Amino acid sequence: MSFNESQWQKSLAAAITSPDELAERFGTEPEPLRAVANRYPLRITPHYLSLIRIPGDPIWRQCVPDPVELEDDQSEDPLCEESLSPVPGLIHRYPDRVVWLVANECAVYCRFCMRKRRVGCGRTDATSRDAALNYLAGTPAIRDIILSGGDPLLLPDEELADLLGRLRAIPHVEIIRIGTRVPVTLPERITPALCQVLKRFHPLYINTHFNHPAEINPESAAACARLADAGIQLGNQTVLLRGVNDDPGVMRSLMTGLLKIRIRPYYIHQMDLVRGTGHFRTTVDCGIEIMASLRGHLSGLATPYYVIDLPGGKGKVPVLPEYVRRQNGKLLLRSYLGEVVEYSDPAIVE
Ligand code: SF4
């Protein structure tokens, strides 16, 4: 892969952005997709496009518009991010940490995105960035900042360095995290120069967003290796998606594959109730079944938390298969193989 600094911009410029280009490539019918792409933008990078084997496969489902996106009437913002924003683009839900939406662009516009209401809709302006920094500097309880968007790693290196430098200048900011799907969708963006910028601002954590084993390939693995070699801790957030990864075997392969490329699986998210994404939702029982197939069968390192982000901005709740039961004063624990074992708990010994 070329490390030419402008290579990733060229790749972005070469991305597919219209149903007609898709039709040319796959022989599909563009007309039904036009209204969808007008409402929710379409962009697929050459790398991500190359991962599609056949129309309708798990990669296709994640990036190609579907007319059903226009059919559901769920909320645009079920997690109430807008009302939890003291200044535009800064979500302050928990006391000690904030999510800061520093970019609105993404390399690929994921069809299941929980921020469909705002991604692909213009750049964040400098005024709201100053307002966010003033809020952060004036709120000493905040010690952990998650840069999100959009994709923060689509910002130019200099802009990112300036932003990170201004955050590091705030004494109470201890941890900076970046959420990005670029290692998956535009791995050439992870240049040595970018890694040099990022490593100046430790402790820095990156959460990647891999959803399917096919997204783990030599290009994405090399991008993650460059980040890991820069001393950056890598975690991964996966969204549980119908027709993409709602299968224990697929999830097992994804989680073990992530560990092999030096990424620690962190969360599996239940799909949020976001308008335009209902066709991706699975039942919660599906998620519990997947967790039961991971826990104990794989190393604990490869086992993420399965979480539901509560509507109304009430925060994340971990969901587990039932391992603990109390019955007639006894504590009963279920092993990963389903065996029920009585455990002596000092709190309930008579
Ligand atoms: S990369 Fe993230 S923010 Fe961007 S479209 Fe995909 S899920 Fe949404």
Side-chain angles (χ1 to χ4, degrees):
M1 178 176 293
S2 164
F3 289 129
N4 182 325
E5 285 311 304
S6 63
Q7 182 55 47
W8 67 272
Q9 277 119 337
K10 286 187 190 148
S11 298
L12 259 192
I16 279 186
T17 55
S18 78
D20 294 279
E21 292 168 272
L22 266 181
E24 221 170 274
R25 168 105 180 204
F26 294 101
T28 47
E29 183 50 58
E31 189 49 39
L33 305 191
R34 288 206 178 101
V36 193
N38 284 340
R39 174 71 187 81
Y40 301 116
L42 156 66
R43 178 149 75 183
I44 312 172
T45 54
H47 171 72
Y48 204 65
L49 196 72
S50 76
L51 305 181
I52 295 176
R53 292 287 157 256
I54 50 167
D57 75 9
I59 302 297
W60 173 282
R61 277 180 66 74
Q62 292 185 74
C63 63
V64 172
D66 187 323
V68 298
E69 290 174 45
L70 300 178
E71 284 169 19
D72 80 54
D73 59 355
Q74 303 183 105
S75 164
E76 282 196 318
D77 180 18
L79 304 184
C80 298
E81 291 188 336
E82 304 293 340
S83 59
L84 289 167
S85 296
V87 298
L90 195 76
I91 305 158
H92 195 173
R93 178 181 301 147
Y94 303 100
D96 69 337
R97 52 207 186 273
V98 294
V99 175
W100 187 11
L101 310 179
V102 293
N104 284 329
E105 251 195 288
C106 300
V108 167
Y109 290 115
C110 310
R111 308 323 297 177
F112 53 85
C113 181
M114 53 90 74
R115 297 208 180 99
K116 270 175 105 100
R117 69 183 188 279
R118 56 176 289 150
V119 296
C121 313
R123 293 288 297 273
T124 310
D125 65 46
T127 326
S128 65
R129 206 168 266 178
D130 286 343
L133 283 161
N134 286 339
Y135 180 84
L136 295 172
T139 315
I142 296 169
R143 39 174 293 282
D144 184 351
I145 296 182
I146 302 159
L147 299 184
S148 184
D151 202 312
L153 295 191
L154 282 197
L155 297 176
D157 289 359
E158 310 69 46
E159 195 174 332
L160 205 50
D162 175 66
L163 200 61
L164 291 170
R166 292 170 78 184
L167 285 177
R168 271 280 163 257
I170 301 173
H172 51 268
V173 172
E174 294 168 6
I175 307 293
I176 299 175
R177 298 189 260 172
I178 297 177
T180 178
R181 191 151 152 82
V182 149
V184 178
T185 54
L186 185 68
E188 56 270 55
R189 169 62 184 114
I190 310 298
T191 61
L194 173 68
C195 295
Q196 286 300 323
V197 167
L198 296 175
K199 72 190 287 190
R200 286 169 34 209
F201 299 101
H202 282 309
L204 188 83
Y205 293 75
I206 283 189
N207 265 324
T208 58
H209 182 169
F210 286 77
N211 287 330
H212 191 272
E215 295 173 345
I216 300 173
N217 46 56
E219 290 82 4
S220 59
C224 292
R226 290 193 286 280
L227 290 169
D229 287 346
I232 296 168
Q233 299 269 351
L234 299 173
N236 186 71
Q237 316 208 45
T238 293
V239 184
L240 178 56
L241 299 166
R242 178 138 64 95
V244 173
N245 56 18
D246 55 338
D247 173 86
V250 170
M251 278 295 195
R252 271 202 298 270
S253 162
L254 176 61
M255 299 306 152
T256 50
L258 287 168
L259 270 193
K260 282 191 246 172
I261 62 167
R262 303 162 71 182
I263 303 177
R264 173 92 196 258
Y266 178 37
Y267 282 142
I268 293 177
H269 286 270
Q270 174 70 9
M271 273 289 305
D272 296 315
L273 307 160
V274 172
R275 184 178 301 170
T277 66
H279 53 301
F280 284 110
R281 293 197 74 222
T282 64
T283 60
V284 173
D285 278 347
C286 169
I288 290 173
E289 185 197 339
I290 285 172
M291 288 310 294
S293 80
L294 300 180
R295 170 74 53 201
H297 298 272
L298 299 182
S299 144
L301 272 181
T303 311
Y305 295 101
Y306 170 44
V307 291
I308 298 179
D309 227 329
L310 294 178
K314 310 274 184 209
K316 292 187 187 67
V317 174
V319 180
L320 279 169
E322 197 179 291
Y323 292 114
V324 184
R325 194 154 43 94
R326 291 188 191 274
Q327 194 178 323
N328 304 329
K330 292 178 183 162
L331 180 64
L332 303 175
L333 301 179
R334 192 171 58 78
S335 80
Y336 76 101
L337 293 173
E339 193 183 356
V340 177
V341 178
E342 186 178 338
Y343 183 79
S344 171
D345 180 0
I348 58 173
V349 169
E350 303 270 315

